[in-house]
């Protein structure tokens, strides 16, 4: 059998090893100068005023909600087609996620349905830039302003994305990023919040470390001084070792994005017109971050296709099955199939193909050929037409 093709392979190497080694020589391993440097450089890379580095995107979302005063009794409008963390963060803040269905052709929150879901309890909208395709943030900002709502972006997939000239964090109150093991830049586990609001950034920095008024870096700089705690915070501070691994990757963001984009274009070329397959549309005005390359397999064949490719050594992932149908959400919110038809249809059809800078053209060809063979092996799948346009 040919070499297995993993779903993801990170590109960390000599620059990260050297940065990690240097971080180990510093007196502070926890949140210190290396984190501060990463925050300045990450904020600059996003064109934002401030970045606050934390331990995960889940923590970033949770802290954003709390810092913006969202809690028990409040509702937050969000998408059911995402990783569970988008909603669990809302629940960890004590608020209630209110799902709105997604667009049939992009999988993103359907902005046209958002206003109908607003109630007197609604305090915020929390969209996800799914797969790296930004939501229509200009439309969402207008809705949020009309109703006095906060806007928090789940930008876990979208470091490099843009839409109509705006980047993540430009129109939202905050945008939250993930540096989880398979993300475009990674330190295994990590996250960040970007914002242009200096007061909010200061508050987020306090809340990420128990609400303490002084932290380890202050002690290192100023010597020990008594600290106070004025508000309840959490333990979400990124450490210098994580920041050290992330810093060299900032220099490769554009080059790696170009490589992933070329791979996505190659998949698109090879898969165009294959019956039984569709891919999400990229809306005009969008610069796609190309974090994931999903294909939508019709005719209930998705799981069989995953199994077929796995027997050929090709690993795939599902991002995501609609979360309102997971046991916990069904039980907690009494949701049933049919509640959000587009999210369910996409969630039952989607599979993500391998996509990372070191993926070679021959591997893209192997994945594409195996996929075409697996989809074509069932005549049924040729008969049904997907709602979304074909490639
Ligand atoms: C859309 C989305 N939101 C949130 C998260 C949570 O990120 P983290 O694992 O850094 O908490 C992820 C991670 O996979 C994600 O894909």
């Amino acid at each position: 059998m040919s070499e297995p093709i993993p779903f993801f392979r990170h590109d960390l190497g000599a620059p990260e090893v050297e940065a990690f080694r240097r971080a180990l020589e510093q007196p502070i391993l926890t949140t210190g100068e290396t984190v501060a440097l990463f925050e300045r450089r990450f904020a600059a890379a996003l064109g934002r005023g401030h970045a606050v580095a934390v331990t995960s995107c889940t923590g970033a979302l949770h802290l954003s909600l709390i810092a913006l005063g969202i809690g028990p009794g409040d509702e937050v409008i969000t998408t059911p087609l995402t990783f569970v963390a988008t909603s669990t963060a809302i629940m960890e803040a004590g608020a209630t996620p209110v799902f709105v269905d997604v667009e049939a052709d992009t999988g993103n929150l359907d902005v046209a349905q958002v206003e109908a879901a607003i109630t007197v309890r609604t305090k915020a909208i929390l969209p996800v830039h799914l797969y790296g395709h930004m939501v229509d943030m200009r439309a969402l900002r207008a809705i949020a302003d009309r109703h006095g709502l906060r806007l928090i972006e789940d930008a876990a997939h979208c470091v490099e994305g843009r839409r109509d000239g705006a980047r993540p964090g430009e129109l939202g109150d905050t945008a939250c990023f993930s540096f989880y093991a398979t993300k475009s830049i990674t330190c295994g586990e990590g996250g960040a919040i970007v914002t242009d609001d200096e007061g909010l950034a200061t508050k987020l920095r306090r809340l990420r470390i128990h609400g303490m008024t002084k932290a380890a870096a202050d002690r290192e700089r100023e010597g020990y001084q008594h600290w106070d705690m004025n508000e309840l915070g959490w333990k979400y501070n990124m450490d210098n070792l994580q920041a050290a691994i992330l810093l060299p990757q900032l220099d490769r963001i554009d080059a790696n994005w170009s490589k992933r984009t070329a791979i996505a274009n190659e998949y698109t070329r090879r898969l165009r017109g294959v019956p039984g397959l569709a891919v999400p549309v990229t809306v005009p005005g969008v610069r796609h971050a190309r974090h994931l390359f999903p294909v939508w397999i019709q005719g209930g064949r998705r799981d069989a296709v995953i199994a077929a490719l796995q027997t050929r050594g090709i690993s795939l992932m599902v991002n995501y099955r609609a979360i309102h149908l997971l046991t916990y959400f069904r039980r907690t919110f009494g949701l049933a199939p049919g509640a959000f038809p587009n999210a369910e249809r996409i969630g039952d059809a989607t599979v993500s193909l391998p996509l990372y800078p070191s993926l070679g053209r021959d591997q893209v060809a192997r994945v594409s050929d195996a996929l075409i063979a697996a989809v074509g092996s069932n005549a049924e799948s040729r008969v049904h037409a997907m709602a979304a346009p074909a490639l």
Side-chain angles (χ1 to χ4, degrees):
M1 191 166 106
S2 5
E3 276 284 291
I5 301 179
F7 175 69
F8 180 78
R9 203 187 279 285
H10 70 72
D11 74 337
L12 311 192
E16 288 72 31
V17 171
E18 175 56 19
F20 191 82
R21 194 191 60 70
R22 275 188 273 117
L24 283 177
E25 289 170 354
Q26 300 299 313
I28 293 186
L29 295 182
T30 182
T31 314
E33 275 311 308
T34 315
V35 170
L37 177 61
F38 170 71
E39 290 178 335
R40 285 195 297 277
R41 289 202 49 206
F42 189 66
L46 268 294
R48 304 277 57 82
H50 309 275
V52 179
V54 291
T55 45
S56 68
C57 183
T58 311
L61 293 165
H62 182 204
L63 277 193
S64 294
L65 289 157
I66 286 162
L68 292 168
I70 293 150
D74 297 337
E75 291 177 356
V76 179
I77 293 173
T78 191
T79 167
L81 193 65
T82 179
F83 183 57
V84 289
T86 315
S87 269
T88 58
I90 296 169
M91 298 176 78
E92 284 166 21
T96 303
V98 172
F99 296 119
V100 163
D101 205 359
V102 300
E103 298 166 341
D105 56 355
T106 67
N108 265 333
L109 184 70
D110 187 351
V111 173
Q113 294 190 44
V114 165
E115 266 184 307
I118 295 174
T119 72
V120 289
R121 290 169 180 264
T122 308
K123 289 286 160 26
I125 308 170
L126 205 172
V128 177
H129 304 314
L130 191 68
Y131 314 135
H133 183 298
M134 271 183 80
V135 170
D136 187 349
M137 285 298 298
R138 292 194 185 279
L140 275 185
R141 184 74 261 174
I143 293 171
D145 288 347
R146 252 195 319 275
H147 297 270
L149 307 178
R150 297 299 198 167
L151 190 47
I152 298 163
E153 300 169 59
D154 182 337
H157 299 179
C158 205
V159 173
E160 306 87 350
R162 287 178 202 181
R163 182 163 180 162
D164 302 327
R167 302 161 84 176
E170 195 163 341
L171 296 165
D173 293 272
T174 69
C176 301
F177 295 87
S178 174
F179 308 131
Y180 173 70
T182 57
K183 294 296 188 270
S184 303
I185 62 174
T186 179
C187 55
E189 299 283 355
I193 307 162
V194 299
T195 179
D196 282 329
D197 181 334
E198 187 172 358
L200 184 59
T202 304
K203 184 164 191 178
L204 288 163
R205 284 211 171 84
R206 250 192 342 265
L207 288 176
R208 77 175 163 185
I209 178 78
H210 298 299
M212 292 164 70
T213 53
K214 290 200 182 292
D218 301 309
R219 283 197 290 284
E220 174 69 16
R221 222 177 15 248
E222 307 163 1
Y224 177 80
Q225 292 185 21
H226 291 308
W227 48 268
D228 198 4
M229 178 194 149
N230 303 317
E231 59 194 326
L232 183 63
W234 277 259
K235 186 67 166 75
Y236 283 144
N237 53 311
M238 177 181 281
D239 67 41
N240 275 355
L241 301 177
Q242 292 170 299
I245 294 172
L246 290 167
L247 270 164
Q249 296 175 64
L250 296 178
D251 298 332
R252 301 199 293 274
I253 288 178
D254 287 341
N256 280 348
W257 173 78
S258 297
K259 287 180 191 167
R260 293 198 311 276
T261 299
I263 293 164
N265 291 343
E266 179 67 7
Y267 273 134
T268 305
R269 190 182 69 74
R270 288 178 171 275
L271 300 174
R272 180 173 288 121
V274 173
L277 275 187
V279 290
V281 159
T282 301
V283 168
V286 166
R287 184 215 213 217
H288 202 301
R290 291 295 176 205
H291 170 57
L292 293 169
F293 192 90
V295 292
W296 296 344
I297 297 168
Q298 61 196 78
R301 290 275 301 147
R302 190 263 313 274
D303 293 353
V305 166
I306 293 175
L309 266 66
Q310 283 185 165
T311 62
R312 292 174 174 225
I314 298 166
S315 298
L316 306 172
M317 292 274 279
V318 170
N319 308 96
Y320 301 91
R321 289 151 69 214
I323 64 169
H324 66 280
L325 297 181
L326 299 178
T327 304
Y328 176 79
F329 289 94
R330 279 191 200 223
R331 212 167 45 212
T332 308
F333 300 109
L335 292 162
F340 305 106
N342 287 340
E344 291 166 30
R345 194 163 47 239
I346 296 170
D348 289 344
T350 197
V351 63
S352 305
L353 307 186
L355 177 63
Y356 40 93
S358 61
L359 193 73
R361 279 181 77 98
D362 48 337
Q363 291 173 307
V364 173
R366 248 183 76 200
V367 174
S368 305
D369 291 348
L371 182 65
I372 292 165
V375 171
S377 69
N378 184 331
E380 270 296 286
S381 64
R382 294 173 178 272
V383 186
H384 304 278
M386 273 293 273
L391 276 162

